[in-house]
Coordinates of all heavy atoms in Angstrom, one line a residue:
M168 N -14.7 64.8 113.7 CA -15.1 66.1 113.5 C -16.6 66.2 113.3 O -17.2 65.4 112.6 CB -14.4 66.7 112.2 CG -15.0 68.1 111.8 SD -14.2 68.6 110.3 CE -13.4 70.0 111.0
R169 N -17.3 67.0 114.1 CA -18.8 67.2 114.0 C -19.1 68.3 113.1 O -18.7 69.5 113.3 CB -19.3 67.4 115.4 CG -20.8 67.6 115.3 CD -21.4 67.5 116.7 NE -22.3 66.4 116.6 CZ -22.8 65.7 117.6 NH1 -22.3 65.9 118.7 NH2 -23.6 64.7 117.4
W170 N -19.9 68.1 112.0 CA -20.2 69.1 111.0 C -21.4 69.8 111.3 O -21.6 71.0 110.9 CB -20.4 68.4 109.6 CG -19.1 67.8 109.1 CD1 -18.4 66.8 109.7 CD2 -18.4 68.2 108.0 NE1 -17.3 66.5 109.0 CE2 -17.2 67.4 107.9 CE3 -18.6 69.2 107.0 CZ2 -16.3 67.5 106.9 CZ3 -17.6 69.3 106.0 CH2 -16.5 68.5 106.0
F171 N -22.4 69.2 112.0 CA -23.6 69.9 112.3 C -24.3 69.2 113.5 O -23.9 68.1 113.9 CB -24.5 69.9 111.1 CG -24.6 68.5 110.4 CD1 -25.6 67.6 110.9 CD2 -23.8 68.2 109.4 CE1 -25.6 66.3 110.3 CE2 -23.9 66.9 108.8 CZ -24.8 66.0 109.3
E172 N -25.3 69.8 114.0 CA -26.0 69.2 115.1 C -26.8 68.0 114.7 O -27.3 67.9 113.6 CB -27.0 70.3 115.7 CG -26.3 71.4 116.4 CD -25.5 71.0 117.6 OE1 -26.0 70.2 118.4 OE2 -24.4 71.5 117.7
P173 N -26.9 67.0 115.6 CA -27.6 65.8 115.2 C -29.1 66.0 114.9 O -29.8 65.1 114.3 CB -27.4 64.8 116.3 CG -27.0 65.7 117.5 CD -26.4 66.9 116.9
T174 N -29.7 67.1 115.4 CA -31.1 67.4 115.1 C -31.3 68.0 113.8 O -32.5 68.1 113.3 CB -31.7 68.3 116.2 OG1 -30.9 69.5 116.2 CG2 -31.6 67.6 117.5
A175 N -30.3 68.4 113.1 CA -30.4 69.0 111.8 C -30.4 67.9 110.7 O -29.7 66.9 110.9 CB -29.3 70.0 111.5
R176 N -31.1 68.1 109.6 CA -31.1 67.2 108.5 C -30.4 67.9 107.4 O -30.9 68.9 106.9 CB -32.6 66.9 108.1 CG -32.7 65.9 107.0 CD -34.2 65.6 106.7 NE -34.2 64.7 105.6 CZ -34.4 63.4 105.7 NH1 -34.5 62.8 106.9 NH2 -34.4 62.6 104.6
L177 N -29.3 67.4 107.0 CA -28.5 68.0 105.9 C -28.5 67.1 104.7 O -28.2 65.9 104.8 CB -27.0 68.2 106.4 CG -26.1 68.7 105.4 CD1 -26.4 70.2 105.0 CD2 -24.6 68.6 105.9
Q178 N -29.0 67.7 103.6 CA -29.0 67.0 102.3 C -28.3 67.9 101.2 O -28.6 69.1 101.2 CB -30.4 66.6 101.9 CG -31.1 65.6 102.7 CD -32.4 65.3 102.2 OE1 -33.4 65.8 102.7 NE2 -32.5 64.4 101.2
V179 N -27.5 67.2 100.4 CA -26.8 67.9 99.3 C -27.4 67.6 98.0 O -27.7 66.4 97.8 CB -25.3 67.6 99.3 CG1 -24.6 68.2 98.2 CG2 -24.7 68.0 100.7
L180 N -27.6 68.6 97.1 CA -28.1 68.3 95.8 C -26.9 68.7 94.9 O -26.7 69.8 94.5 CB -29.3 69.2 95.5 CG -30.0 69.0 94.2 CD1 -30.4 67.5 93.9 CD2 -31.2 69.9 94.1
P181 N -26.1 67.7 94.5 CA -24.9 68.0 93.7 C -25.3 68.5 92.3 O -26.3 68.1 91.7 CB -24.2 66.6 93.6 CG -24.8 65.8 94.6 CD -26.1 66.3 94.8
F182 N -24.4 69.3 91.7 CA -24.6 69.8 90.3 C -24.7 68.6 89.4 O -25.5 68.7 88.4 CB -23.5 70.7 89.9 CG -23.5 72.0 90.5 CD1 -22.5 72.4 91.4 CD2 -24.6 72.9 90.4 CE1 -22.5 73.7 92.0 CE2 -24.6 74.2 91.0 CZ -23.5 74.5 91.8
A183 N -24.0 67.6 89.6 CA -24.0 66.4 88.7 C -25.4 65.7 88.7 O -25.7 65.0 87.7 CB -23.0 65.4 89.2
Q184 N -26.2 66.0 89.6 CA -27.6 65.5 89.7 C -28.4 66.0 88.5 O -29.4 65.4 88.2 CB -28.2 65.8 91.0 CG -29.4 65.0 91.4 CD -29.1 63.7 92.1 OE1 -27.9 63.4 92.3 NE2 -30.1 63.0 92.5
G185 N -28.1 67.1 88.0 CA -28.8 67.7 86.8 C -29.9 68.7 87.3 O -29.8 69.2 88.4
A186 N -30.8 68.9 86.4 CA -31.9 69.9 86.7 C -32.7 69.5 87.9 O -32.9 68.3 88.2 CB -32.8 70.0 85.5
Y187 N -33.1 70.5 88.6 CA -33.9 70.2 89.9 C -35.1 71.1 89.9 O -35.3 72.0 89.1 CB -33.1 70.4 91.1 CG -32.3 71.7 91.2 CD1 -32.9 72.8 91.9 CD2 -31.1 71.9 90.7 CE1 -32.3 74.0 92.0 CE2 -30.4 73.1 90.8 CZ -31.0 74.1 91.4 OH -30.4 75.3 91.5
A188 N -36.0 70.9 90.9 CA -37.3 71.5 90.9 C -37.4 73.0 91.2 O -38.3 73.7 90.8 CB -38.2 70.8 91.9
C189 N -36.3 73.6 91.8 CA -36.4 75.0 92.2 C -35.8 75.9 91.2 O -34.6 75.9 91.0 CB -35.7 75.1 93.6 SG -35.9 76.8 94.2
N190 N -36.5 76.8 90.7 CA -36.0 77.8 89.8 C -36.3 79.2 90.3 O -36.2 80.2 89.6 CB -36.5 77.6 88.3 CG -38.0 77.8 88.2 OD1 -38.7 78.0 89.2 ND2 -38.5 77.6 87.0
T191 N -36.8 79.3 91.6 CA -37.2 80.5 92.1 C -36.1 81.2 92.9 O -36.2 82.4 93.3 CB -38.3 80.3 93.1 OG1 -37.9 79.5 94.2 CG2 -39.5 79.7 92.4
G192 N -35.0 80.6 93.2 CA -33.9 81.1 94.0 C -34.2 80.7 95.5 O -35.0 79.9 95.8
P193 N -33.4 81.3 96.4 CA -33.5 80.9 97.8 C -34.9 81.2 98.4 O -35.5 82.3 98.1 CB -32.4 81.7 98.5 CG -31.6 82.4 97.4 CD -32.4 82.3 96.1
F194 N -35.3 80.4 99.2 CA -36.6 80.6 99.9 C -36.6 79.9 101.2 O -35.9 78.9 101.4 CB -37.8 80.3 99.1 CG -38.0 78.8 98.9 CD1 -38.8 78.0 99.7 CD2 -37.4 78.1 97.8 CE1 -38.9 76.7 99.6 CE2 -37.6 76.8 97.6 CZ -38.3 76.0 98.5
T195 N -37.4 80.3 102.2 CA -37.6 79.7 103.5 C -39.1 79.6 103.8 O -39.8 80.6 103.6 CB -36.9 80.5 104.6 OG1 -35.5 80.7 104.2 CG2 -37.0 79.8 105.9
V196 N -39.5 78.5 104.2 CA -40.9 78.4 104.7 C -40.9 78.5 106.2 O -40.2 77.7 106.9 CB -41.6 77.1 104.2 CG1 -43.0 77.0 104.8 CG2 -41.6 77.1 102.7
L197 N -41.5 79.5 106.7 CA -41.6 79.7 108.2 C -42.8 79.1 108.7 O -43.9 79.4 108.2 CB -41.6 81.2 108.5 CG -40.4 82.0 107.8 CD1 -40.7 83.5 107.9 CD2 -39.1 81.7 108.5
T198 N -42.7 78.3 109.7 CA -43.8 77.7 110.4 C -43.8 78.1 111.8 O -42.7 78.3 112.4 CB -43.8 76.1 110.3 OG1 -42.6 75.6 110.8 CG2 -43.9 75.7 108.8
F199 N -45.0 78.2 112.4 CA -45.1 78.7 113.8 C -45.8 77.7 114.7 O -46.7 76.9 114.2 CB -45.8 80.0 113.8 CG -45.2 81.0 112.9 CD1 -45.6 81.2 111.6 CD2 -44.1 81.7 113.3 CE1 -45.0 82.1 110.7 CE2 -43.4 82.6 112.5 CZ -43.9 82.8 111.2
P200 N -45.5 77.6 116.0 CA -46.1 76.6 116.8 C -47.6 76.8 117.0 O -48.3 75.9 117.2 CB -45.3 76.7 118.1 CG -44.7 78.1 118.1 CD -44.5 78.4 116.7
E201 N -48.0 78.0 117.0 CA -49.5 78.3 117.2 C -50.2 78.1 115.9 O -49.9 78.6 114.9 CB -49.7 79.8 117.7 CG -49.1 80.1 119.0 CD -49.7 79.3 120.1 OE1 -50.9 79.1 120.1 OE2 -49.0 78.9 121.1
T202 N -51.3 77.3 115.9 CA -52.1 77.0 114.7 C -52.7 78.3 114.2 O -53.1 78.3 113.0 CB -53.1 75.9 115.0 OG1 -53.9 76.3 116.1 CG2 -52.5 74.6 115.3
A203 N -52.9 79.3 115.0 CA -53.6 80.5 114.6 C -52.6 81.3 113.7 O -53.0 82.2 112.9 CB -54.0 81.4 115.8
D204 N -51.3 81.1 113.8 CA -50.3 81.8 113.0 C -50.0 80.9 111.7 O -49.5 79.8 111.8 CB -49.0 81.9 113.7 CG -49.2 82.8 115.0 OD1 -50.0 83.7 114.9 OD2 -48.5 82.5 116.0
A205 N -50.4 81.5 110.6 CA -50.3 80.8 109.3 C -48.8 80.7 108.9 O -48.0 81.6 109.2 CB -51.1 81.5 108.2
D206 N -48.5 79.7 108.1 CA -47.1 79.6 107.6 C -46.9 80.7 106.6 O -47.9 81.2 105.9 CB -47.0 78.2 106.8 CG -47.0 77.0 107.8 OD1 -47.0 77.2 109.0 OD2 -47.0 75.9 107.3
V207 N -45.6 81.1 106.4 CA -45.3 82.1 105.5 C -44.0 81.7 104.7 O -43.1 81.1 105.3 CB -44.9 83.4 106.2 CG1 -44.4 84.5 105.3 CG2 -46.1 83.9 107.0
A208 N -44.0 81.9 103.4 CA -42.8 81.7 102.6 C -42.0 83.0 102.4 O -42.6 84.0 102.0 CB -43.2 81.0 101.3
Y209 N -40.8 83.0 102.7 CA -39.9 84.1 102.5 C -39.0 83.9 101.3 O -38.3 82.9 101.3 CB -39.1 84.4 103.7 CG -38.0 85.4 103.6 CD1 -38.3 86.8 103.4 CD2 -36.7 85.1 103.5 CE1 -37.4 87.8 103.2 CE2 -35.7 86.1 103.3 CZ -36.0 87.4 103.2 OH -35.1 88.3 103.0
V210 N -39.1 84.7 100.3 CA -38.5 84.5 99.0 C -37.5 85.6 98.7 O -37.9 86.8 98.9 CB -39.5 84.4 97.9 CG1 -38.8 84.1 96.5 CG2 -40.6 83.4 98.2
E211 N -36.3 85.3 98.4 CA -35.3 86.3 98.0 C -35.0 86.2 96.5 O -34.9 85.1 95.9 CB -33.9 86.0 98.7 CG -34.0 86.1 100.2 CD -32.7 85.8 100.9 OE1 -31.7 86.1 100.3 OE2 -32.8 85.2 101.9
N212 N -34.9 87.4 95.8 CA -34.5 87.4 94.4 C -33.9 88.7 94.1 O -33.7 89.6 95.0 CB -35.7 87.1 93.5 CG -36.8 88.1 93.6 OD1 -36.6 89.3 93.8 ND2 -38.1 87.6 93.6
E213 N -33.6 88.9 92.8 CA -32.8 90.1 92.4 C -33.7 91.4 92.7 O -33.1 92.5 92.9 CB -32.5 90.1 90.9 CG -31.6 89.0 90.5 CD -32.3 87.6 90.3 OE1 -33.5 87.6 90.1 OE2 -31.6 86.6 90.4
A214 N -35.0 91.3 92.7 CA -35.8 92.5 92.8 C -36.0 92.8 94.3 O -36.6 93.8 94.6 CB -37.2 92.2 92.2
G215 N -35.6 91.9 95.2 CA -35.8 92.2 96.6 C -36.3 90.9 97.3 O -36.1 89.8 96.8
D216 N -37.0 91.1 98.4 CA -37.5 90.0 99.1 C -39.1 90.1 99.1 O -39.6 91.1 98.9 CB -37.0 89.9 100.5 CG -37.1 91.2 101.3 OD1 -37.5 92.2 100.7 OD2 -36.8 91.2 102.5
L217 N -39.7 88.9 99.4 CA -41.1 88.8 99.3 C -41.6 87.9 100.4 O -41.0 86.8 100.6 CB -41.5 88.3 97.9 CG -42.9 87.9 97.6 CD1 -43.8 89.1 97.6 CD2 -43.0 87.1 96.3
Y218 N -42.7 88.2 101.0 CA -43.3 87.3 102.0 C -44.6 86.8 101.3 O -45.5 87.6 101.0 CB -43.7 88.0 103.3 CG -42.4 88.4 104.1 CD1 -41.8 89.6 103.9 CD2 -41.9 87.4 105.0 CE1 -40.6 89.9 104.6 CE2 -40.7 87.7 105.7 CZ -40.1 88.9 105.5 OH -39.0 89.2 106.2
V219 N -44.7 85.5 101.1 CA -45.9 84.9 100.5 C -46.7 84.4 101.7 O -46.3 83.5 102.4 CB -45.5 83.7 99.6 CG1 -46.7 83.0 99.0 CG2 -44.6 84.2 98.5
E220 N -47.9 84.9 101.8 CA -48.8 84.6 102.9 C -50.0 83.8 102.5 O -50.6 83.1 103.4 CB -49.2 85.8 103.7 CG -48.0 86.6 104.2 CD -48.4 87.8 104.9 OE1 -49.4 87.8 105.6 OE2 -47.6 88.8 104.9
K221 N -50.4 83.8 101.3 CA -51.6 83.1 100.9 C -51.4 81.6 100.9 O -50.3 81.1 100.5 CB -52.1 83.5 99.5 CG -52.6 84.9 99.4 CD -53.1 85.3 98.0 CE -53.6 86.7 98.0 NZ -54.0 87.1 96.7
P222 N -52.3 80.8 101.5 CA -52.1 79.4 101.7 C -51.7 78.7 100.4 O -50.8 77.8 100.4 CB -53.4 78.9 102.2 CG -54.0 80.0 102.9 CD -53.6 81.2 102.1
A223 N -52.3 79.0 99.3 CA -51.9 78.4 98.0 C -50.5 78.6 97.6 O -49.8 77.8 97.1 CB -52.9 78.8 96.9
G224 N -50.0 79.8 97.8 CA -48.6 80.2 97.5 C -47.6 79.5 98.4 O -46.6 79.0 97.9
V225 N -47.9 79.4 99.7 CA -47.1 78.7 100.6 C -47.1 77.2 100.3 O -46.0 76.6 100.3 CB -47.5 78.9 102.1 CG1 -46.7 78.1 103.1 CG2 -47.5 80.4 102.4
A226 N -48.2 76.7 99.9 CA -48.3 75.3 99.5 C -47.4 75.0 98.4 O -46.7 73.9 98.3 CB -49.7 74.9 99.2
R227 N -47.3 75.9 97.4 CA -46.4 75.7 96.2 C -44.9 75.6 96.7 O -44.2 74.7 96.2 CB -46.5 76.8 95.2 CG -47.7 76.7 94.3 CD -47.7 77.6 93.1 NE -47.3 78.9 93.4 CZ -48.1 79.9 93.6 NH1 -49.4 79.7 93.6 NH2 -47.7 81.1 93.9
Y228 N -44.5 76.5 97.6 CA -43.1 76.4 98.1 C -42.9 75.1 98.9 O -41.8 74.6 98.9 CB -42.8 77.7 98.9 CG -42.5 78.8 98.0 CD1 -43.5 79.8 97.7 CD2 -41.3 78.9 97.4 CE1 -43.2 80.8 96.8 CE2 -41.0 80.0 96.5 CZ -42.0 80.9 96.2 OH -41.7 81.9 95.4
N229 N -43.9 74.7 99.7 CA -43.7 73.4 100.4 C -43.5 72.2 99.4 O -42.7 71.3 99.6 CB -44.9 73.1 101.3 CG -44.8 73.9 102.6 OD1 -43.7 74.0 103.2 ND2 -45.9 74.4 103.1
L230 N -44.3 72.3 98.3 CA -44.1 71.2 97.2 C -42.7 71.3 96.6 O -42.1 70.2 96.4 CB -45.2 71.4 96.2 CG -46.6 70.9 96.5 CD1 -47.6 71.2 95.4 CD2 -46.6 69.4 96.8
V231 N -42.3 72.5 96.3 CA -40.9 72.6 95.8 C -39.9 72.1 96.7 O -39.0 71.3 96.4 CB -40.6 74.1 95.4 CG1 -39.1 74.3 95.1 CG2 -41.5 74.5 94.2
F232 N -40.0 72.4 98.0 CA -39.1 71.9 99.0 C -39.1 70.4 99.1 O -38.1 69.7 99.2 CB -39.4 72.5 100.4 CG -38.4 72.2 101.4 CD1 -37.1 72.8 101.4 CD2 -38.7 71.4 102.5 CE1 -36.2 72.5 102.3 CE2 -37.7 71.1 103.5 CZ -36.5 71.7 103.4
D233 N -40.3 69.8 99.1 CA -40.4 68.3 99.1 C -39.7 67.7 97.9 O -39.1 66.7 98.0 CB -41.9 67.9 99.1 CG -42.6 68.2 100.4 OD1 -41.8 68.4 101.4 OD2 -43.8 68.2 100.5
D234 N -39.9 68.4 96.7 CA -39.2 67.9 95.5 C -37.7 68.0 95.6 O -37.0 67.0 95.2 CB -39.7 68.6 94.2 CG -41.1 68.3 93.8 OD1 -41.6 67.2 94.3 OD2 -41.7 69.0 93.0
L235 N -37.2 69.1 96.2 CA -35.8 69.2 96.4 C -35.2 68.1 97.3 O -34.2 67.5 97.0 CB -35.4 70.6 96.9 CG -35.6 71.8 96.0 CD1 -35.5 73.1 96.7 CD2 -34.5 71.7 94.9
R236 N -35.9 67.9 98.4 CA -35.5 66.8 99.3 C -35.5 65.5 98.7 O -34.6 64.6 98.9 CB -36.4 66.8 100.6 CG -36.1 67.9 101.5 CD -36.8 67.7 102.8 NE -38.2 67.5 102.6 CZ -39.1 67.5 103.6 NH1 -38.7 67.5 104.8 NH2 -40.4 67.4 103.3
A237 N -36.5 65.2 97.8 CA -36.5 63.9 97.1 C -35.4 63.8 96.1 O -34.9 62.7 95.9 CB -37.9 63.8 96.4
D238 N -35.0 64.9 95.5 CA -33.9 64.8 94.5 C -32.5 64.8 95.1 O -31.6 64.3 94.5 CB -34.0 66.0 93.5 CG -35.2 66.0 92.6 OD1 -35.8 64.9 92.4 OD2 -35.6 67.0 92.0
A239 N -32.4 65.3 96.3 CA -31.1 65.4 96.9 C -30.6 64.1 97.4 O -31.4 63.1 97.6 CB -31.2 66.4 98.1
L240 N -29.3 64.0 97.7 CA -28.7 62.8 98.3 C -29.3 62.6 99.7 O -29.7 63.6 100.4 CB -27.2 63.0 98.5 CG -26.4 63.1 97.2 CD1 -25.0 63.4 97.5 CD2 -26.6 61.9 96.3
G241 N -29.4 61.4 100.2 CA -29.8 61.2 101.6 C -28.8 61.7 102.5 O -27.7 62.1 102.2
C242 N -29.2 61.7 103.8 CA -28.3 62.3 104.8 C -26.9 61.7 104.9 O -25.9 62.3 104.9 CB -29.0 62.3 106.2 SG -30.4 63.4 106.3
D243 N -26.9 60.3 104.9 CA -25.6 59.6 105.0 C -24.8 59.9 103.7 O -23.6 60.1 103.8 CB -25.8 58.1 105.2 CG -26.4 57.8 106.5 OD1 -26.2 58.6 107.5 OD2 -27.0 56.7 106.7
D244 N -25.4 59.8 102.5 CA -24.7 60.1 101.3 C -24.2 61.5 101.2 O -23.2 61.8 100.7 CB -25.6 59.7 100.1 CG -25.8 58.2 99.9 OD1 -24.9 57.5 100.4 OD2 -26.7 57.9 99.3
S245 N -25.0 62.4 101.8 CA -24.6 63.9 101.8 C -23.4 64.1 102.6 O -22.5 64.8 102.2 CB -25.8 64.7 102.3 OG -26.8 64.8 101.3
R246 N -23.4 63.4 103.8 CA -22.2 63.5 104.7 C -20.9 63.0 104.0 O -19.9 63.6 104.0 CB -22.4 62.8 106.0 CG -23.2 63.5 107.0 CD -23.2 62.8 108.3 NE -24.5 63.0 109.0 CZ -25.5 62.1 109.0 NH1 -25.4 61.0 108.4 NH2 -26.6 62.4 109.6
A247 N -21.1 61.9 103.3 CA -20.0 61.3 102.6 C -19.5 62.2 101.4 O -18.3 62.4 101.2 CB -20.4 59.9 102.0
F248 N -20.5 62.8 100.7 CA -20.2 63.7 99.6 C -19.4 64.9 100.2 O -18.4 65.3 99.6 CB -21.4 64.2 98.9 CG -21.2 65.1 97.8 CD1 -20.9 64.6 96.6 CD2 -21.4 66.5 98.0 CE1 -20.7 65.5 95.5 CE2 -21.2 67.4 97.0 CZ -20.8 66.9 95.7
I249 N -19.8 65.5 101.3 CA -19.2 66.7 101.9 C -17.7 66.3 102.3 O -16.8 67.0 102.1 CB -20.0 67.2 103.0 CG1 -21.3 67.9 102.5 CG2 -19.2 68.2 103.8 CD1 -22.3 68.2 103.6
A250 N -17.6 65.1 102.9 CA -16.3 64.7 103.3 C -15.3 64.5 102.2 O -14.2 64.9 102.2 CB -16.4 63.4 104.2
E251 N -15.9 63.9 101.1 CA -15.1 63.7 99.9 C -14.6 65.0 99.3 O -13.5 65.2 98.9 CB -15.9 62.9 98.9 CG -15.1 62.6 97.6 CD -16.0 61.8 96.6 OE1 -16.8 61.0 97.1 OE2 -15.9 62.1 95.4
V252 N -15.5 66.0 99.2 CA -15.2 67.3 98.6 C -14.2 68.0 99.6 O -13.2 68.6 99.1 CB -16.4 68.2 98.5 CG1 -16.1 69.6 98.1 CG2 -17.3 67.6 97.4
A253 N -14.4 67.9 100.9 CA -13.5 68.6 101.8 C -12.1 68.0 101.7 O -11.1 68.7 101.8 CB -14.0 68.4 103.2
D254 N -12.0 66.6 101.6 CA -10.7 66.0 101.4 C -10.0 66.5 100.2 O -8.8 66.6 100.2 CB -10.8 64.5 101.4 CG -11.2 63.9 102.8 OD1 -11.0 64.6 103.8 OD2 -11.7 62.7 102.8
G255 N -10.7 66.7 99.1 CA -10.1 67.2 97.9 C -9.6 68.6 98.0 O -8.9 69.1 97.1
L256 N -10.0 69.4 99.0 CA -9.6 70.8 99.1 C -8.3 70.9 99.9 O -7.7 72.0 99.9 CB -10.7 71.6 99.9 CG -12.0 71.7 99.1 CD1 -13.0 72.4 100.0 CD2 -11.8 72.4 97.8
T257 N -7.9 69.8 100.5 CA -6.6 69.9 101.3 C -5.4 69.4 100.6 O -5.5 68.8 99.6 CB -6.8 69.2 102.7 OG1 -7.1 67.8 102.4 CG2 -7.9 69.8 103.5

């Protein structure tokens, strides 16, 4: 069974891992192929959504994302974790 495209990088951050770097809620950093187009962070929260365009603000979200990736399981361990959880649901 194929869970995702091979070009995607899937990492899981299990609850058992404990506290993690992101306390802002969901966000996406949008990057564009043209260097003239600056990166933008899109943030969702209870008050609505927000586009962070200042370079310092986008840099903070990139750091948070890097911390999340470092704290998460690696790709192979994430696949095994998902398979284990899926097996437990059947």
Side-chain angles (χ1 to χ4, degrees):
M168 172 183 245
R169 179 167 238 156
W170 294 64
F171 49 86
E172 292 298 317
T174 57
R176 182 180 177 96
L177 176 67
Q178 289 183 263
V179 175
L180 184 56
F182 288 117
Q184 195 87 358
Y187 54 91
C189 183
N190 62 0
T191 62
F194 69 93
T195 303
V196 177
L197 306 167
T198 58
F199 305 97
E201 297 294 326
T202 55
D204 297 326
D206 294 351
V207 176
Y209 171 70
V210 184
E211 299 176 36
N212 61 40
E213 297 82 20
D216 51 353
L217 170 71
Y218 290 91
V219 178
E220 298 180 35
K221 292 184 179 178
V225 175
R227 281 196 312 266
Y228 282 99
N229 279 321
L230 285 173
V231 168
F232 188 68
D233 289 344
D234 287 345
L235 288 170
R236 284 191 302 188
D238 290 343
L240 299 173
C242 293
D243 291 339
D244 289 338
S245 291
R246 282 190 212 99
F248 180 83
I249 291 169
E251 181 181 322
V252 170
D254 288 343
L256 297 175
T257 58

